[in-house]
Amino acid sequence: EPEVTQTPSHQVTQMGQEVILRCVPISNHLYFYWYRQILGQKVEFLVSFYNNEISEKSEIFDDQFSVERPDGSNFTLKIRSTKLEDSAMYFCASSVFPPGNNSPLHFGNGTRLTVT
Amino acid sequence: AQSVTQLGSHVSVSEGALVLLRCNYSSSVPPYLFWYVQYPNQGLQLLLKYTSAATLVKGINGFEAEFKKSETSFHLTKPSAHMSDAAEYFCAVSSSNTGKLIFGQGTTLQVKP
């Protein structure tokens, strides 16, 4: 079964550094998402992306965050200047249609980001 | 606005016993409801989904959930727990016009031998 793959599985970075988290969604999927889960807290929506633009973003997704689909297969999340509170597990997800249209999200295994 | 509440952050059952994980939702529009499971060091895997067809939804690994509009609930059940069911379970809600899932805080299921 096709999978969403995320790299790296664990990323350690120093506060203030830029970090790029990478995802390869399932090939025929059209909608892409980033979620994050701070340790011990809920899984939180960050951003959705369709047709090469952001469809929706949460209040967490401020100017420090950006997403890109640079080459038609990868979907990246960039954090320009990391803060300690950015430490979390970041999940990429994709779907053929928006989930409400009987098309569930398929999640990757996540990238654990640790900011020191 | 939509929200999800999962009652009980930890549930412990004996192997072979009934599993009941509770989820209540709030939504101003007809909701789409989901249960996801997360095994250690893995991503979120879809167990089942409700999208306004049958109110009793069957999923993978013997799990099922019943949508009860009057109670705004979507509780997850399994008649007989296996050791391999030990994981974290998340209930989520979505509306039809966005791709955003709102997750509950999760319930950790422990299965004792």
Side-chain angles (χ1 to χ4, degrees), chain A residues 72-99:
Chain A
S73 62
N74 291 285
F75 179 51
T76 61
L77 174 69
K78 182 192 292 185
I79 309 175
R80 289 190 183 82
S81 178
T82 50
K83 303 186 283 286
L84 294 176
E85 54 265 38
D86 294 327
S87 296
M89 180 73 90
Y90 287 80
F91 291 106
C92 174
S94 68
S95 65
V96 179
F97 303 111

Side-chain angles (χ1 to χ4, degrees), chain A residues 33 35 37 41-45 48 56 58 89 91 98-110, chain B residues 4 32 34 36 38 41-46 49 51 88 90 94-96 98-105:
Chain A
Y33 312 86
Y35 286 79
Q37 184 181 26
Q41 298 186 25
K42 289 186 183 186
V43 177
E44 302 172 290
F45 169 80
S48 60
E56 186 173 2
S58 71
M89 180 73 90
F91 291 106
N101 289 342
N102 202 27
S103 175
L105 267 62
H106 294 257
F107 284 83
N109 286 349
Chain B
V4 172
Y32 294 88
F34 306 83
Y36 281 86
Q38 184 181 29
N41 301 314
Q42 294 189 26
L44 297 161
Q45 180 182 359
L46 180 70
K49 60 184 186 290
T51 56
E88 187 149 20
F90 294 92
S94 174
S95 65
S96 60
T98 78
K100 182 170 75 174
L101 289 176
I102 305 296
F103 284 89
Q105 64 270 41

